[in-house]
């Protein structure tokens, strides 16, 4: 078994992760004759509920600020408290004045799920919190509320990257967060494979995540660490954008060098194709679109049989850690699938007709429209297609290792493709009108990719320039030099010391 533990840091991360968990729940089969292609033991843990019944809950730790959980309770129907809710007066025998915060009314969607009734159609107006469309029960250990800050507070906004660092240090000094929150899940694993983080990267959650990843590396040095770093793509004033960009630069500098995968994700993406409807004001909408790509491209990590996803990410040099998330929603007509399922044979020129490498996708979650149109060099690409009929274009039977070595010898981009017939299900927790051009409203075919290209060098160069002008004197030199070293590895013509010595 190759288990994965998930950490969810912040409101935007929890919106995305909730879509992710709803999809995992949809893959369960309850007929012994129908085995799911997804191995649920990767992301779910067995347990025992309060009544002694067996439970199956996600291997995840959910962090959010005060007021961020909505109607989600720490103790749910599986783990109801049995002790008396009234602790008694204890040593105090004086008069008590009880002040209780007004309860948030449960959404109609959650009421229908609890009653076992058909769920009503959700909309951007009816989804107030990420818990409003959550379809799972979580273990009480998974719910961690950070009471030091309040969601959307104007007095103490959780925006500065250094505030996240300080909060982690304070909590870790008091509780040892890794030992208290993540270790119990890790000790239940037979063979822990990776730790997956959903986090914001352009606010204080970036600093919190950086310290968390640092602790994970100290404790689980050889385990893979995958970071889905979400950035706010909404237009703001110039000063606020400078602050966000500086936070992004700090996150890339502190996290990407320690992660096995660091994927910056713009929420919402700046370029939306006509085939997709999106309400950019609703995080429920925008993260649903992101989840269609993120959940697809990570699908090989939980398919039967086991897939060595990490080797595809590492490439041959294990140097490149920053990946661009891209996807295309494949239409129902057969012709639309052909460009996306070319055989994974020897690659020619990048993006040429005979190359399996793709340079154009309908959705690019890493860069804006202008950057995506510039010519660039691709170092590595991992493609995952789902639901697409790939029978006519399957790869030849040649060993993938031989193909990889041949591409490396010919200075061609590294490439790996995974394919599954399992389509992306469009659940009732998903926006119903997001893909209006599809004939089927229950499932969709998706092509998603993680790409390493020289565009990352351009992005890092912009971060260097900004840090040189905006960052404080105490961190400016370290940040600029660190970003410069990372940038060099994504420039064409760069050669590692080991390669230079071999020559």
């Amino acid at each position: 078994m190759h288990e994965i533990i998930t950490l969810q840091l912040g409101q935007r991360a929890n919106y995305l992760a909730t879509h992710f968990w709803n999809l995992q729940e949809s893959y369960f089969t309850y007929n012994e004759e129908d085995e799911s292609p997804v191995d649920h033991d990767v992301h779910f843990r067995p347990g025992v509920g309060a009544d002694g019944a067996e439970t199956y809950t996600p291997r995840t730790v959910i962090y959010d600020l005060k007021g961020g959980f909505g109607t989600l309770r720490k103790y749910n129907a599986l783990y109801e408290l049995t002790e008396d809710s009234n602790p008694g007066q204890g040593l105090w025998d004086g008069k008590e004045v009880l002040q209780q915060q007004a309860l948030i009314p449960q959404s109609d969607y959650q009421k229908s799920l609890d009653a076992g009734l058909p769920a009503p159609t959700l909309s951007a107006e009816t989804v107030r919190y990420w818990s409003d469309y959550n379809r799972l029960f979580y273990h009480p250990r998974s719910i961690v509320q950070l009471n030091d800050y309040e969601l959307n507070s104007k007095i103490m906004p959780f925006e500065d990257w250094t505030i996240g660092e300080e909060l982690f240090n304070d909590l870790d000094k008091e509780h040892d967060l890794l030992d208290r929150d993540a270790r119990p899940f890790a000790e239940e694993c037979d063979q822990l494979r990776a730790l997956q983080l959903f986090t914001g990267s352009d606010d204080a959650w970036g600093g919190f995540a950086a310290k968390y990843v640092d602790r994970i590396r100290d404790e689980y040095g050889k385990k893979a660490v995958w970071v889905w770093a979400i950035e706010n793509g909404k237009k703001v004033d110039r000063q606020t954008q400078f602050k966000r960009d500086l936070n992004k630069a700090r996150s890339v500098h502190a996290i990407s060098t320690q992660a096995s995968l660091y994927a910056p994700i713009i929420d919402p993406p700046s370029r939306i194709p006509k085939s997709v409807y999106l309400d950019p004001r609703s995080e429920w909408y925008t993260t649903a679109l992101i989840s269609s790509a993120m959940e697809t491209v990570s699908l090989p990590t939980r398919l039967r049989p086991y897939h060595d996803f990490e080797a595809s990410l590492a490439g041959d040099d294990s140097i490149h850690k920053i990946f661009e998330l891209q996807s295309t929603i494949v239409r129902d007509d057969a012709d639309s699938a052909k460009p996306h399922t070319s055989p994974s044979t020897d690659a020619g020129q990048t993006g040429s007709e005979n190359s399996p490498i793709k340079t154009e996708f309908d959705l690019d979650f890493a860069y804006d429209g202008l950057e995506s149109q510039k010519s660039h060099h691709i170092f590595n690409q991992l493609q995952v297609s789902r639901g697409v009929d790939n029978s006519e274009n399957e790869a030849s039977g040649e060993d993938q290792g031989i193909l990889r070595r041949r591409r490396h010898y010919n200075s061609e981009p590294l490439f790996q493709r995974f394919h599954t017939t399992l389509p992306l299900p469009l659940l009732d927790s998903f926006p119903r009108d997001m893909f209006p051009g599809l004939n089927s409203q229950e499932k969709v075919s998706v092509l998603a990719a993680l790409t390493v290209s020289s565009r990352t060098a351009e992005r890092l160069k912009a971060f260097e320039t900004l840090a040189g002008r905006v960052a404080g004197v105490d961190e400016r030199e370290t940040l600029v030099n660190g970003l410069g070293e990372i940038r060099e590895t994504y420039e064409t013509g760069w050669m590692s010391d080991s390669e230079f010595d071999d020559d």
Side-chain angles (χ1 to χ4, degrees):
M1 196 184 301
H2 302 271
E3 298 92 347
I4 299 172
I5 295 175
T6 301
L7 303 175
Q8 305 170 207
L9 311 181
Q11 188 74 182
R12 286 204 305 270
N14 288 328
Y15 266 91
L16 176 57
T18 301
H19 283 297
F20 173 82
W21 289 119
N22 287 347
L23 286 168
Q24 305 318 305
E25 187 265 347
S26 72
Y27 299 140
F28 278 89
T29 55
Y30 301 97
N31 187 339
E32 294 182 359
E33 298 178 358
D34 299 329
E35 183 182 50
S36 173
V38 174
D39 184 355
H40 305 297
D41 290 329
V42 171
H43 281 290
F44 286 80
R45 54 173 295 280
V48 179
D51 60 352
E54 293 184 358
T55 63
Y56 217 47
T57 53
R59 303 180 192 274
T60 188
V61 184
I62 307 172
Y63 294 92
D64 214 330
L65 305 181
K66 184 179 180 181
F69 286 90
T71 59
L72 185 68
R73 296 185 299 162
K74 187 179 183 71
Y75 293 91
N76 50 57
L78 297 180
Y79 299 94
E80 289 285 4
L81 283 172
T82 56
E83 60 266 25
D84 189 352
S85 59
N86 181 13
Q89 289 184 296
L91 298 177
W92 173 253
D93 57 0
K95 185 178 180 180
E96 293 182 348
V97 178
L98 181 63
Q99 293 185 351
Q100 187 170 353
Q101 189 174 8
L103 294 177
I104 300 172
Q106 196 175 32
S107 67
D108 292 337
Y109 184 84
Q110 291 295 330
K111 290 178 182 177
S112 299
L113 290 180
D114 291 345
L117 301 174
T121 301
L122 290 169
S123 67
E125 290 72 28
T126 58
V127 175
R128 306 155 300 169
Y129 303 91
W130 53 266
S131 58
D132 285 344
Y133 60 94
N134 168 61
R135 297 181 56 87
L136 289 85
F137 288 126
Y138 297 96
H139 191 279
R141 285 203 308 262
S142 292
I143 310 300
V144 183
Q145 179 171 283
L146 306 182
N147 295 314
D148 301 67
Y149 291 86
E150 191 166 355
L151 183 68
N152 299 325
S153 172
K154 301 296 183 183
I155 301 174
M156 296 176 61
F158 201 61
E159 296 176 352
D160 195 337
W161 201 86
T162 57
I163 290 177
E165 270 192 319
E166 294 169 0
L167 177 61
F168 182 91
N169 289 334
D170 292 342
L171 294 174
D172 194 49
K173 186 182 298 182
E174 183 177 356
H175 302 291
D176 191 336
L177 289 185
L178 191 67
D179 194 57
R180 184 193 70 178
D181 299 336
R183 190 184 301 279
F185 290 98
E187 290 178 346
E188 295 174 341
C189 299
D190 293 333
Q191 186 177 345
L192 179 61
R193 175 182 185 180
L195 292 102
Q196 173 180 247
L197 282 82
F198 295 91
T199 182
S201 64
D202 60 352
D203 55 11
W205 286 111
F208 193 92
K211 300 300 293 185
Y212 218 129
V213 171
D214 191 47
R215 289 278 284 109
I216 288 172
R217 271 290 169 240
D218 287 343
E219 189 69 24
Y220 305 103
K222 295 183 179 181
K223 302 300 180 184
V225 178
W226 304 328
V227 180
W228 307 99
I230 310 170
E231 306 170 358
N232 194 331
K234 297 176 182 177
K235 301 298 182 183
V236 292
D237 62 83
R238 184 181 179 87
Q239 195 64 31
T240 303
Q241 191 61 52
F242 278 160
K243 178 184 288 187
R244 288 181 180 177
D245 288 342
L246 183 59
N247 287 339
K248 296 176 195 175
R250 289 163 168 164
S251 294
V252 170
H253 174 252
I255 301 176
S256 68
T257 54
Q258 301 199 75
S260 312
L261 159 69
Y262 184 88
I265 300 173
I266 299 176
D267 175 23
S270 59
R271 182 170 57 93
I272 305 296
K274 295 180 179 179
S275 59
V276 174
Y277 171 75
L278 192 70
D279 184 347
R281 299 165 299 176
S282 169
E283 287 186 291
W284 170 61
Y285 259 96
T286 59
T287 54
L289 183 62
I290 295 170
S291 71
S292 68
M294 174 267 152
E295 201 275 334
T296 295
V297 83
S298 63
L299 192 57
T301 64
R302 48 192 170 274
L303 285 178
R304 309 175 196 266
Y306 167 77
H307 292 277
D308 192 1
F309 184 76
E310 294 82 352
S312 302
L313 293 176
D316 284 345
D317 53 18
S318 300
I319 294 296
H320 300 118
K321 308 292 182 66
I322 303 175
F323 288 78
E324 305 154 22
L325 178 65
Q326 302 152 320
S327 72
T328 292
I329 306 300
V330 182
R331 298 193 306 275
D332 298 328
D333 55 287
D335 292 338
S336 66
K338 289 181 179 178
H340 309 310
T341 55
S342 56
S344 53
T345 55
D346 293 341
Q349 296 297 318
T350 302
S352 68
E353 185 178 351
N354 296 324
S355 172
I357 300 290
K358 275 184 63 65
T359 57
E360 294 183 6
F361 292 84
D362 290 348
L363 291 161
D364 191 330
F365 297 96
Y367 299 100
D368 62 31
L370 294 177
E371 287 178 303
S372 64
Q373 295 173 8
K374 295 179 181 179
S375 60
H376 52 276
H377 175 76
I378 292 179
F379 298 98
N380 186 13
Q381 187 174 87
L382 183 147
Q383 289 182 17
V384 179
S385 58
R386 66 185 306 172
V388 183
D389 183 5
N390 208 32
S391 57
E392 297 181 2
N393 293 315
E394 286 293 337
S396 62
E398 190 167 1
D399 182 79
Q400 284 294 327
I402 296 176
L403 288 174
R404 290 170 67 88
R405 286 193 292 271
R406 185 183 300 164
R407 293 192 184 100
H408 184 64
Y409 179 79
N410 294 330
S411 299
E412 296 169 344
L414 298 176
F415 174 76
Q416 179 74 47
R417 173 184 289 125
F418 296 97
H419 172 71
T420 176
T421 57
L422 179 67
L424 176 73
L426 299 182
L427 310 176
D428 56 20
S429 61
F430 208 83
R432 296 283 179 89
D433 56 352
M434 181 166 286
F435 307 120
L438 297 176
N439 295 331
S440 172
Q441 296 299 316
E442 297 181 355
K443 59 185 179 180
V444 61
S445 299
V446 182
L447 172 72
L450 288 170
T451 304
V452 180
S453 79
S454 57
R455 291 193 302 174
T456 298
E458 300 172 16
R459 179 184 175 95
L460 293 174
K461 183 63 177 177
F463 284 160
E464 282 183 72
T465 303
L466 178 72
R469 292 190 290 115
V470 178
V473 177
D474 54 337
E475 68 167 338
R476 183 182 304 159
E477 183 177 357
T478 301
L479 188 56
V480 171
N481 291 342
L483 290 170
E485 293 176 3
I486 300 172
R487 171 181 52 80
E488 290 176 355
T489 64
Y490 294 87
E491 293 177 337
T492 55
W494 178 86
M495 183 178 292
S496 67
D497 293 339
S498 60
E499 291 174 321
F500 183 79
D501 292 339
D502 290 342
D503 293 343

